[in-house]
Amino acid sequence: MNKKIYFNNKFIEFASSQTQSSQNQTIKIYDAKNKQTLKNIIYDFLDQNNSNSVQIFNYNFEQVFNYFKESYSYIEAAGGFIERDNHYLFIHRLGKWDLPKGKLEKKETIENGAKRECEEECAVKNLEIVKQLTSTYHIYPYKTGYALKQTYWFYMKTNYAEKLIPQTEENIDEVKWFSEKEVKTIAFNDTYLTIKDVILEAISPANTQK
């Protein structure tokens, strides 16, 4: 899977060669030959008036990731894609369907952080981590500059069938179980690009086989 760093409704995608992106975007394609070229690409990408996504090939993602960590605030978060009896848990926050997630606490493991955030935001219990999914990355304005957030995702299962309670202080107004069809037709069409990537990976045949 090609890695992406999102900013608003666009992204920088890193690929080993020029490929068709999974998202319907206007894309500029670059062969970033050196660090200065990369800096120029990122500068243009963060321009609010520039709506183009970017695809970079022949450049190591870890180098770019480390550049962002050095240049901007770095924040780690964790969350879960939770299954119960072939239904999947989503939260409704700030007008969009989302997955439960949140910032890690100091010295907290990513697994414990993911479970804690899901429990706090949905009042769900008995969570079991099945496997780790691919992390998502996004940039957003933070203080006087930008922050890069890496969110670690886990595919989880639960047998918890009691009433779920949205954490309203986190702007969550609804918690709901969706069938796979509803995930694809309702949640997927009204969520963030990062969450779309999590959905596509989580409901792939490799993860949904019993």
Side-chain angles (χ1 to χ4, degrees):
M1 179 180 291
N2 294 342
K3 293 184 177 179
K4 305 183 187 78
I5 297 177
Y6 287 93
F7 177 56
N8 295 335
N9 290 318
K10 58 184 178 178
F11 56 80
I12 297 179
E13 181 176 35
F14 301 86
S16 57
S17 61
Q18 183 176 336
T19 60
Q20 178 64 41
S21 172
S22 61
Q23 304 283 8
N24 183 20
Q25 297 281 331
T26 302
I27 297 176
K28 285 191 173 183
I29 299 172
Y30 295 93
D31 187 350
K33 299 181 184 299
N34 53 60
K35 193 170 184 178
Q36 186 56 50
T37 303
L38 177 67
K39 287 183 178 180
N40 293 339
I41 293 169
I42 293 171
Y43 179 82
D44 290 339
F45 175 72
L46 293 176
D47 183 348
Q48 296 277 7
N49 296 318
N50 179 5
S51 61
N52 293 326
S53 290
V54 171
Q55 187 178 82
I56 300 175
F57 61 97
N58 293 334
Y59 208 97
N60 185 280
F61 173 80
E62 296 303 324
Q63 290 177 280
V64 181
F65 180 57
N66 289 333
Y67 169 78
F68 274 112
K69 287 176 67 175
E70 294 166 1
S71 303
Y72 309 113
S73 298
Y74 174 61
I75 296 171
E76 291 182 300
F81 187 92
I82 302 170
E83 176 193 348
R84 189 200 74 195
D85 297 332
N86 298 316
H87 284 70
Y88 307 93
L89 189 151
F90 279 78
I91 61 175
H92 194 258
R93 172 164 40 200
L94 300 175
K96 287 186 177 292
W97 290 106
D98 202 349
L99 294 171
K101 63 185 181 302
K103 295 179 184 178
L104 295 178
E105 295 180 351
K106 190 175 181 180
K107 296 184 179 180
E108 185 176 38
T109 66
I110 57 176
E111 293 85 357
N112 288 343
K115 284 185 175 181
R116 175 184 55 77
E117 284 292 339
C118 292
E119 291 169 353
E120 289 177 355
E121 294 195 340
C122 308
V124 64
K125 299 179 181 178
N126 304 335
L127 294 173
E128 174 191 358
I129 291 178
V130 177
K131 66 177 293 184
Q132 185 170 356
L133 302 171
T134 304
S135 293
T136 57
Y137 307 85
H138 76 277
I139 301 169
Y140 56 93
Y142 182 74
K143 296 182 178 178
T144 59
Y146 294 97
L148 169 66
K149 179 183 284 187
Q150 176 176 1
T151 303
Y152 302 93
W153 293 102
F154 294 90
Y155 193 111
M156 304 181 190
K157 289 188 177 182
T158 184
N159 60 2
Y160 188 71
E162 303 299 320
K163 182 180 179 181
L164 300 177
I165 303 171
Q167 189 179 21
T168 54
E169 57 266 37
E170 289 294 331
N171 299 307
I172 302 170
D173 55 53
E174 187 175 2
V175 182
K176 188 171 182 178
W177 292 104
F178 281 132
S179 67
E180 183 173 330
K181 181 179 180 180
E182 290 171 327
V183 170
K184 294 176 179 178
T185 58
I186 299 175
F188 191 85
N189 291 322
D190 190 21
T191 191
Y192 303 97
L193 295 178
T194 51
I195 301 302
K196 288 186 178 184
D197 282 347
V198 178
I199 292 171
L200 289 172
E201 181 181 4
I203 65 175
S204 68
N207 287 319
T208 55
Q209 287 177 352
K210 307 303 177 198

